[in-house]
Amino acid sequence: MTSTTASAFSALAPYGWDEDWADAFAPYGAEGLLPGRVVRVDRGQCDVVTADGVLRADTAFVTPHDPLRVVCTGDWVAVEPDGTPRYVRTCLPRRTAFVRSTSSKRSEGQILAANVDHAVVAVSLAADLELARIERFLALAWESGAQPVVVLTKADLVPDPVTLSHLVQDVETTAPGVPVLSVSAAHGEGLDVLGAVVSGGTAVLLGQSGAGKSTLANALLGEDVMDVRATRDVDGKGRHTTTTRNLLALPGGGVLIDTPGLRGVGLWDAGDGVGQVFAEIEELARDCRFHDCAHESEPGCAVLAAIDGGELPARRLESYRKLLRENQRIVAKTDARMRAEIRKEWKRRGAIGKAAMEAKRGGLR
Protein backbone atom coordinates (compact mmCIF):
# COMPACT_ATOMS: atom_id res chain seq x y z
CA MET A 1 0.00 0.00 0.00
CA THR A 2 1.48 3.37 -1.02
CA SER A 3 1.57 6.36 1.32
CA THR A 4 -1.13 8.03 -0.80
CA THR A 5 -3.35 4.96 -0.57
CA ALA A 6 -2.73 4.70 3.16
CA SER A 7 -3.66 8.33 3.73
CA ALA A 8 -6.83 7.85 1.67
CA PHE A 9 -7.80 4.88 3.82
CA SER A 10 -7.19 6.82 7.02
CA ALA A 11 -9.12 9.91 5.92
CA LEU A 12 -11.95 8.23 4.02
CA ALA A 13 -12.64 5.16 6.17
CA PRO A 14 -15.17 7.10 8.31
CA TYR A 15 -17.07 7.80 5.06
CA GLY A 16 -17.23 4.15 3.98
CA TRP A 17 -14.00 3.67 2.01
CA ASP A 18 -12.92 0.03 1.91
CA GLU A 19 -10.75 -2.44 -0.03
CA ASP A 20 -13.35 -2.90 -2.78
CA TRP A 21 -13.62 0.84 -3.39
CA ALA A 22 -9.82 1.06 -3.41
CA ASP A 23 -9.61 -1.68 -6.04
CA ALA A 24 -12.24 0.05 -8.20
CA PHE A 25 -10.37 3.34 -7.92
CA ALA A 26 -6.87 1.95 -8.64
CA PRO A 27 -6.83 2.78 -12.42
CA TYR A 28 -7.72 6.40 -11.66
CA GLY A 29 -5.15 6.63 -8.90
CA ALA A 30 -2.53 5.63 -11.48
CA GLU A 31 -3.54 8.76 -13.42
CA GLY A 32 -2.86 10.96 -10.38
CA LEU A 33 -6.53 11.54 -9.50
CA LEU A 34 -7.80 11.68 -5.92
CA PRO A 35 -10.51 9.41 -4.46
CA GLY A 36 -13.35 11.12 -2.64
CA ARG A 37 -16.98 10.87 -1.67
CA VAL A 38 -19.59 13.42 -2.69
CA VAL A 39 -21.09 15.02 0.41
CA ARG A 40 -23.24 17.63 -1.33
CA VAL A 41 -24.32 18.57 -4.87
CA ASP A 42 -25.42 22.06 -5.84
CA ARG A 43 -26.04 23.51 -9.34
CA GLY A 44 -23.48 21.57 -11.32
CA GLN A 45 -20.88 21.55 -8.59
CA CYS A 46 -20.26 19.33 -5.61
CA ASP A 47 -18.35 19.13 -2.35
CA VAL A 48 -16.08 16.08 -2.21
CA VAL A 49 -14.39 14.81 0.95
CA THR A 50 -10.86 13.60 0.16
CA ALA A 51 -7.64 12.87 2.02
CA ASP A 52 -6.77 16.54 1.33
CA GLY A 53 -9.98 17.79 2.92
CA VAL A 54 -13.29 18.86 1.39
CA LEU A 55 -12.83 20.07 -2.17
CA ARG A 56 -15.22 22.00 -4.41
CA ALA A 57 -15.41 20.45 -7.87
CA ASP A 58 -17.28 20.92 -11.14
CA THR A 59 -19.32 17.97 -12.51
CA ALA A 60 -19.33 19.05 -16.18
CA PHE A 61 -17.23 16.07 -17.30
CA VAL A 62 -19.70 13.54 -15.84
CA THR A 63 -23.07 15.12 -16.61
CA PRO A 64 -24.69 12.71 -19.14
CA HIS A 65 -28.10 12.98 -20.76
CA ASP A 66 -29.34 10.16 -18.50
CA PRO A 67 -30.53 11.85 -15.26
CA LEU A 68 -29.85 8.63 -13.34
CA ARG A 69 -26.12 8.91 -14.04
CA VAL A 70 -25.51 12.45 -12.82
CA VAL A 71 -23.22 12.97 -9.84
CA CYS A 72 -25.19 12.39 -6.65
CA THR A 73 -24.67 12.66 -2.90
CA GLY A 74 -23.05 9.42 -1.78
CA ASP A 75 -21.15 8.79 -5.00
CA TRP A 76 -17.47 7.81 -4.87
CA VAL A 77 -15.58 9.80 -7.49
CA ALA A 78 -12.17 10.46 -8.99
CA VAL A 79 -11.39 14.17 -8.71
CA GLU A 80 -8.52 16.29 -10.04
CA PRO A 81 -5.89 17.07 -7.39
CA ASP A 82 -5.72 20.72 -8.46
CA GLY A 83 -6.98 23.16 -11.05
CA THR A 84 -9.26 26.18 -11.33
CA PRO A 85 -11.91 25.02 -11.72
CA ARG A 86 -11.28 21.54 -10.36
CA TYR A 87 -13.26 18.74 -12.06
CA VAL A 88 -14.75 15.39 -11.09
CA ARG A 89 -13.46 13.05 -13.79
CA THR A 90 -15.62 9.97 -13.19
CA CYS A 91 -17.95 8.21 -10.76
CA LEU A 92 -17.14 4.71 -9.52
CA PRO A 93 -19.85 2.10 -10.23
CA ARG A 94 -22.61 2.37 -7.64
CA ARG A 95 -23.47 -0.47 -5.30
CA THR A 96 -26.99 0.82 -4.64
CA ALA A 97 -29.09 3.81 -5.68
CA PHE A 98 -32.33 5.26 -4.31
CA VAL A 99 -34.41 6.46 -7.28
CA ARG A 100 -37.88 7.98 -7.55
CA SER A 101 -39.95 9.18 -10.47
CA THR A 102 -40.02 12.93 -11.01
CA SER A 103 -43.28 14.84 -11.09
CA SER A 104 -42.58 16.05 -14.62
CA LYS A 105 -44.60 14.82 -17.61
CA ARG A 106 -41.41 13.32 -19.04
CA SER A 107 -41.50 10.69 -16.28
CA GLU A 108 -37.79 10.77 -15.68
CA GLY A 109 -36.09 9.06 -12.79
CA GLN A 110 -34.37 11.15 -10.12
CA ILE A 111 -31.57 9.66 -8.06
CA LEU A 112 -31.69 10.84 -4.45
CA ALA A 113 -28.73 9.01 -2.90
CA ALA A 114 -26.06 6.53 -3.95
CA ASN A 115 -24.20 3.69 -2.24
CA VAL A 116 -26.66 3.41 0.63
CA ASP A 117 -26.84 0.45 3.02
CA HIS A 118 -29.92 1.47 5.04
CA ALA A 119 -32.95 3.49 3.90
CA VAL A 120 -34.43 5.04 7.05
CA VAL A 121 -38.06 6.04 6.49
CA ALA A 122 -39.04 8.62 9.12
CA VAL A 123 -42.76 8.73 9.97
CA SER A 124 -44.13 11.25 12.47
CA LEU A 125 -46.49 10.09 15.22
CA ALA A 126 -47.73 13.69 15.48
CA ALA A 127 -50.21 12.89 12.68
CA ASP A 128 -52.32 9.91 11.65
CA LEU A 129 -50.31 7.09 10.10
CA GLU A 130 -50.54 6.90 6.31
CA LEU A 131 -49.81 3.21 5.78
CA ALA A 132 -50.07 3.46 2.00
CA ARG A 133 -47.36 6.15 1.93
CA ILE A 134 -45.11 3.97 4.09
CA GLU A 135 -45.61 1.10 1.63
CA ARG A 136 -44.64 3.43 -1.23
CA PHE A 137 -41.40 4.50 0.50
CA LEU A 138 -40.58 0.88 1.30
CA ALA A 139 -41.06 -0.22 -2.32
CA LEU A 140 -38.47 2.32 -3.44
CA ALA A 141 -36.17 1.41 -0.56
CA TRP A 142 -36.23 -2.32 -1.35
CA GLU A 143 -35.72 -1.58 -5.06
CA SER A 144 -32.64 0.52 -4.26
CA GLY A 145 -30.82 -2.49 -2.85
CA ALA A 146 -30.67 -1.00 0.66
CA GLN A 147 -32.20 -2.45 3.83
CA PRO A 148 -35.27 -0.40 4.83
CA VAL A 149 -35.85 0.71 8.42
CA VAL A 150 -39.02 2.50 9.56
CA VAL A 151 -38.53 5.01 12.37
CA LEU A 152 -41.64 6.32 14.11
CA THR A 153 -40.52 9.75 15.32
CA LYS A 154 -41.93 11.96 18.08
CA ALA A 155 -42.89 8.92 20.15
CA ASP A 156 -43.12 11.20 23.21
CA LEU A 157 -46.38 12.53 21.73
CA VAL A 158 -47.93 9.10 22.33
CA PRO A 159 -47.55 8.73 26.12
CA ASP A 160 -49.75 5.64 26.43
CA PRO A 161 -47.46 2.60 25.91
CA VAL A 162 -50.37 0.39 24.81
CA THR A 163 -51.36 2.84 22.07
CA LEU A 164 -47.73 3.17 20.97
CA SER A 165 -47.41 -0.62 20.83
CA HIS A 166 -50.49 -0.86 18.61
CA LEU A 167 -49.12 1.78 16.24
CA VAL A 168 -45.82 -0.11 15.96
CA GLN A 169 -47.73 -3.34 15.25
CA ASP A 170 -49.78 -1.62 12.52
CA VAL A 171 -46.58 -0.55 10.77
CA GLU A 172 -44.93 -3.95 11.26
CA THR A 173 -47.90 -5.53 9.47
CA THR A 174 -47.42 -3.02 6.67
CA ALA A 175 -43.66 -3.61 6.52
CA PRO A 176 -42.90 -7.36 6.60
CA GLY A 177 -39.20 -8.04 7.11
CA VAL A 178 -38.46 -4.43 8.05
CA PRO A 179 -37.29 -3.25 11.51
CA VAL A 180 -39.76 -0.74 13.01
CA LEU A 181 -38.38 1.51 15.74
CA SER A 182 -40.16 4.13 17.85
CA VAL A 183 -37.90 7.08 18.70
CA SER A 184 -38.14 10.31 20.65
CA ALA A 185 -35.26 12.59 19.68
CA ALA A 186 -36.46 15.10 22.30
CA HIS A 187 -36.09 12.56 25.13
CA GLY A 188 -33.35 10.41 23.61
CA GLU A 189 -35.52 7.29 23.61
CA GLY A 190 -34.67 4.67 20.99
CA LEU A 191 -31.65 6.58 19.63
CA ASP A 192 -29.17 3.98 20.89
CA VAL A 193 -30.93 1.23 18.92
CA LEU A 194 -31.16 3.35 15.77
CA GLY A 195 -27.54 4.45 16.14
CA ALA A 196 -26.45 0.82 16.31
CA VAL A 197 -28.44 -0.01 13.16
CA VAL A 198 -26.91 2.78 11.05
CA SER A 199 -23.37 2.56 12.45
CA GLY A 200 -22.31 -0.15 10.02
CA GLY A 201 -22.58 1.74 6.75
CA THR A 202 -24.36 4.56 4.94
CA ALA A 203 -27.96 5.45 5.80
CA VAL A 204 -30.24 7.80 3.89
CA LEU A 205 -32.94 9.58 5.89
CA LEU A 206 -36.25 9.86 4.01
CA GLY A 207 -39.72 11.16 4.78
CA GLN A 208 -42.21 13.98 4.41
CA SER A 209 -41.65 17.51 5.68
CA GLY A 210 -42.44 17.62 9.37
CA ALA A 211 -41.44 13.98 9.93
CA GLY A 212 -38.66 15.11 12.25
CA LYS A 213 -35.76 14.11 10.00
CA SER A 214 -33.55 17.09 10.81
CA THR A 215 -34.17 16.72 14.55
CA LEU A 216 -33.36 13.03 14.26
CA ALA A 217 -30.20 13.79 12.28
CA ASN A 218 -29.05 16.28 14.91
CA ALA A 219 -29.69 13.74 17.67
CA LEU A 220 -27.61 11.09 15.87
CA LEU A 221 -24.85 13.60 15.14
CA GLY A 222 -24.79 14.85 18.72
CA GLU A 223 -24.92 18.49 17.64
CA ASP A 224 -27.26 20.92 15.88
CA VAL A 225 -25.98 20.66 12.33
CA MET A 226 -29.33 20.62 10.52
CA ASP A 227 -31.82 23.50 10.67
CA VAL A 228 -35.06 22.66 12.49
CA ARG A 229 -38.40 24.48 12.27
CA ALA A 230 -41.62 23.94 14.17
CA THR A 231 -44.35 21.86 12.56
CA ARG A 232 -47.98 22.91 12.27
CA ASP A 233 -50.14 21.73 15.15
CA VAL A 234 -53.12 21.13 12.85
CA ASP A 235 -51.59 18.32 10.80
CA GLY A 236 -48.08 17.72 12.10
CA LYS A 237 -46.53 18.90 8.84
CA GLY A 238 -43.85 21.51 8.34
CA ARG A 239 -41.89 23.44 5.74
CA HIS A 240 -38.76 22.07 4.11
CA THR A 241 -35.80 22.69 6.44
CA THR A 242 -33.26 20.63 4.49
CA THR A 243 -32.92 21.96 0.93
CA THR A 244 -30.02 19.80 -0.28
CA ARG A 245 -28.89 16.23 0.32
CA ASN A 246 -26.00 16.29 2.79
CA LEU A 247 -23.68 13.43 3.72
CA LEU A 248 -22.36 13.50 7.29
CA ALA A 249 -20.11 11.13 9.25
CA LEU A 250 -21.72 9.97 12.50
CA PRO A 251 -19.65 10.08 15.71
CA GLY A 252 -20.65 6.51 16.58
CA GLY A 253 -19.64 5.21 13.16
CA GLY A 254 -21.48 5.15 9.87
CA VAL A 255 -22.57 7.88 7.51
CA LEU A 256 -25.92 9.68 7.27
CA ILE A 257 -27.44 11.33 4.18
CA ASP A 258 -30.20 13.76 5.14
CA THR A 259 -32.67 14.65 2.39
CA PRO A 260 -35.31 17.35 1.87
CA GLY A 261 -38.89 16.46 2.75
CA LEU A 262 -40.47 14.54 -0.13
CA ARG A 263 -43.98 15.66 -1.07
CA GLY A 264 -44.21 13.25 -3.99
CA VAL A 265 -42.75 9.75 -3.98
CA GLY A 266 -43.37 8.28 -7.42
CA LEU A 267 -42.26 4.76 -8.21
CA TRP A 268 -39.50 4.22 -10.76
CA ASP A 269 -39.21 0.70 -12.16
CA ALA A 270 -39.77 -0.72 -8.67
CA GLY A 271 -41.52 -4.00 -9.49
CA ASP A 272 -39.23 -6.09 -7.29
CA GLY A 273 -39.56 -3.57 -4.47
CA VAL A 274 -43.36 -3.71 -4.61
CA GLY A 275 -43.15 -7.50 -4.51
CA GLN A 276 -41.05 -7.38 -1.34
CA VAL A 277 -43.36 -4.91 0.41
CA PHE A 278 -46.31 -7.19 -0.30
CA ALA A 279 -44.45 -10.46 0.14
CA GLU A 280 -47.40 -12.14 1.86
CA ILE A 281 -49.69 -11.42 -1.11
CA GLU A 282 -47.20 -12.82 -3.60
CA GLU A 283 -46.78 -15.87 -1.39
CA LEU A 284 -50.54 -16.41 -1.27
CA ALA A 285 -50.78 -15.90 -5.04
CA ARG A 286 -48.68 -19.02 -5.61
CA ASP A 287 -51.67 -21.07 -4.41
CA CYS A 288 -54.18 -19.43 -6.73
CA ARG A 289 -55.85 -21.78 -9.22
CA PHE A 290 -54.70 -19.67 -12.18
CA HIS A 291 -51.09 -18.57 -12.50
CA ASP A 292 -52.17 -15.20 -13.95
CA CYS A 293 -54.89 -14.60 -11.36
CA ALA A 294 -55.72 -10.90 -10.97
CA HIS A 295 -57.21 -11.49 -7.48
CA GLU A 296 -60.47 -9.81 -8.45
CA SER A 297 -63.21 -12.42 -8.91
CA GLU A 298 -61.45 -15.52 -10.22
CA PRO A 299 -62.47 -18.89 -8.75
CA GLY A 300 -59.86 -20.52 -6.54
CA CYS A 301 -58.12 -17.23 -5.70
CA ALA A 302 -56.04 -17.79 -2.56
CA VAL A 303 -55.60 -14.04 -2.02
CA LEU A 304 -59.35 -13.35 -1.93
CA ALA A 305 -59.82 -16.39 0.31
CA ALA A 306 -57.28 -14.90 2.75
CA ILE A 307 -59.22 -11.63 2.80
CA ASP A 308 -62.51 -13.45 3.40
CA GLY A 309 -60.87 -15.43 6.20
CA GLY A 310 -59.52 -12.29 7.89
CA GLU A 311 -55.88 -13.26 7.28
CA LEU A 312 -55.18 -10.38 4.88
CA PRO A 313 -56.54 -6.82 5.17
CA ALA A 314 -58.41 -5.74 2.04
CA ARG A 315 -56.53 -2.43 2.23
CA ARG A 316 -53.25 -4.27 1.58
CA LEU A 317 -54.55 -5.80 -1.65
CA GLU A 318 -55.88 -2.47 -2.88
CA SER A 319 -52.56 -0.76 -2.12
CA TYR A 320 -50.70 -3.60 -3.87
CA ARG A 321 -52.85 -3.20 -6.99
CA LYS A 322 -52.40 0.57 -7.01
CA LEU A 323 -48.59 0.44 -6.79
CA LEU A 324 -48.39 -2.31 -9.43
CA ARG A 325 -50.52 -0.24 -11.85
CA GLU A 326 -48.44 2.87 -11.21
CA ASN A 327 -45.20 0.99 -11.73
CA GLN A 328 -46.48 -0.55 -14.96
CA ARG A 329 -47.37 2.90 -16.30
CA ILE A 330 -43.91 4.24 -15.53
CA VAL A 331 -42.12 1.24 -17.06
CA ALA A 332 -44.38 1.26 -20.10
CA LYS A 333 -43.39 4.83 -20.93
CA THR A 334 -39.79 3.75 -21.40
CA ASP A 335 -40.18 0.10 -22.43
CA ALA A 336 -41.89 -0.70 -25.74
CA ARG A 337 -42.02 -4.44 -25.00
CA MET A 338 -43.78 -3.77 -21.69
CA ARG A 339 -46.32 -1.52 -23.45
CA ALA A 340 -47.12 -4.34 -25.86
CA GLU A 341 -47.54 -6.83 -22.99
CA ILE A 342 -49.88 -4.47 -21.14
CA ARG A 343 -52.03 -3.96 -24.26
CA LYS A 344 -52.14 -7.73 -24.74
CA GLU A 345 -53.24 -8.20 -21.13
CA TRP A 346 -55.96 -5.55 -21.51
CA LYS A 347 -57.28 -7.31 -24.62
CA ARG A 348 -57.25 -10.67 -22.83
CA ARG A 349 -59.21 -9.33 -19.87
CA GLY A 350 -61.57 -7.52 -22.19
CA ALA A 351 -62.25 -10.78 -24.04
CA ILE A 352 -62.87 -12.60 -20.75
CA GLY A 353 -65.27 -9.89 -19.63
CA LYS A 354 -67.09 -9.94 -22.96
CA ALA A 355 -67.43 -13.75 -22.86
CA ALA A 356 -68.75 -13.62 -19.29
CA MET A 357 -71.29 -10.98 -20.25
CA GLU A 358 -72.47 -12.99 -23.27
CA ALA A 359 -72.78 -16.13 -21.13
CA LYS A 360 -74.79 -14.17 -18.60
CA ARG A 361 -77.11 -12.85 -21.28
CA GLY A 362 -77.52 -16.34 -22.71
CA GLY A 363 -78.61 -17.64 -19.30
CA LEU A 364 -81.27 -14.96 -19.05
CA ARG A 365 -82.95 -15.92 -22.33
Side-chain angles (χ1 to χ4, degrees):
M1 182 181 293
T2 66
S3 59
T4 301
T5 305
S7 64
F9 258 100
S10 176
L12 297 177
Y15 292 90
W17 186 256
D18 58 26
E19 294 280 358
D20 290 336
W21 287 122
D23 289 343
F25 179 77
Y28 306 105
E31 298 175 14
L33 300 175
L34 297 176
R37 194 166 194 190
V38 177
V39 297
R40 185 172 180 269
V41 177
D42 181 26
R43 298 178 183 177
Q45 293 189 314
C46 62
D47 294 333
V48 183
V49 61
T50 71
D52 293 343
V54 177
L55 308 177
R56 188 72 169 166
D58 196 297
T59 64
F61 274 100
V62 284
T63 304
H65 295 296
D66 183 353
L68 297 183
R69 300 192 63 81
V70 299
V71 175
C72 176
T73 302
D75 272 326
W76 285 100
V77 298
V79 65
E80 294 176 342
D82 50 36
T84 305
R86 190 192 308 263
Y87 288 97
V88 170
R89 285 293 178 175
T90 192
C91 286
L92 299 187
R94 293 164 178 156
R95 294 178 182 173
T96 63
F98 190 96
V99 181
R100 69 164 177 175
S101 175
T102 65
S103 58
S104 70
K105 292 183 179 179
R106 291 180 294 179
S107 299
E108 294 178 339
Q110 178 190 24
I111 181 166
L112 298 182
N115 302 312
V116 171
D117 300 293
H118 292 93
V120 179
V121 180
V123 180
S124 173
L125 290 175
D128 292 338
L129 290 177
E130 294 184 55
L131 298 179
R133 181 173 288 273
I134 294 174
E135 289 162 343
R136 180 178 291 273
F137 269 108
L138 291 177
L140 291 174
W142 280 122
E143 191 68 33
S144 75
Q147 166 66 51
V149 180
V150 177
V151 175
L152 303 179
T153 65
K154 308 180 185 181
D156 52 290
L157 300 181
V158 187
D160 179 23
V162 175
T163 301
L164 180 59
S165 176
H166 287 161
L167 290 171
V168 171
Q169 289 176 8
D170 286 345
V171 177
E172 287 176 338
T173 301
T174 300
V178 176
V180 179
L181 310 175
S182 59
V183 171
S184 170
H187 296 171
E189 298 171 357
L191 289 175
D192 54 341
V193 178
L194 177 59
V197 169
V198 301
S199 64
T202 298
V204 60
L205 194 52
L206 306 157
Q208 290 181 283
S209 297
K213 298 189 305 301
S214 295
T215 301
L216 189 59
N218 287 336
L220 291 170
L221 290 163
E223 56 181 317
D224 291 340
V225 175
M226 309 307 298
D227 183 28
V228 177
R229 298 178 190 169
T231 57
R232 300 192 297 254
D233 291 335
V234 63
D235 57 9
K237 296 180 180 179
R239 293 182 295 170
H240 295 300
T241 55
T242 303
T243 56
T244 58
R245 292 178 283 280
N246 303 282
L247 184 147
L248 304 157
L250 297 171
V255 176
L256 182 69
I257 299 176
D258 192 18
T259 64
L262 301 175
R263 290 193 180 94
V265 193
L267 299 187
W268 179 259
D269 196 5
D272 291 340
V274 172
Q276 287 185 269
V277 175
F278 299 94
E280 81 278 31
I281 295 179
E282 300 216 334
E283 182 68 26
L284 286 166
R286 294 189 180 99
D287 294 327
C288 290
R289 181 182 301 177
F290 304 110
H291 75 277
D292 57 350
C293 183
H295 320 307
E296 293 176 348
S297 58
E298 295 88 344
C301 176
V303 175
L304 295 180
I307 292 176
D308 292 339
E311 302 168 32
L312 177 71
R315 186 205 66 78
R316 286 280 285 171
L317 178 58
E318 181 54 37
S319 184
Y320 176 61
R321 288 171 174 160
K322 181 178 179 180
L323 292 183
L324 281 181
R325 287 195 299 267
E326 178 181 331
N327 194 65
Q328 279 189 332
R329 286 196 298 270
I330 290 295
V331 173
K333 288 182 179 180
T334 57
D335 189 327
R337 183 178 58 82
M338 175 63 75
R339 287 198 296 271
E341 290 178 356
I342 291 174
R343 283 195 296 269
K344 183 178 178 181
E345 177 64 11
W346 284 344
K347 289 180 180 179
R348 186 188 72 83
R349 291 194 183 185
I352 292 174
K354 183 178 180 181
M357 184 61 70
E358 290 177 350
K360 184 176 179 181
R361 288 173 178 167
L364 293 175
R365 289 174 184 170

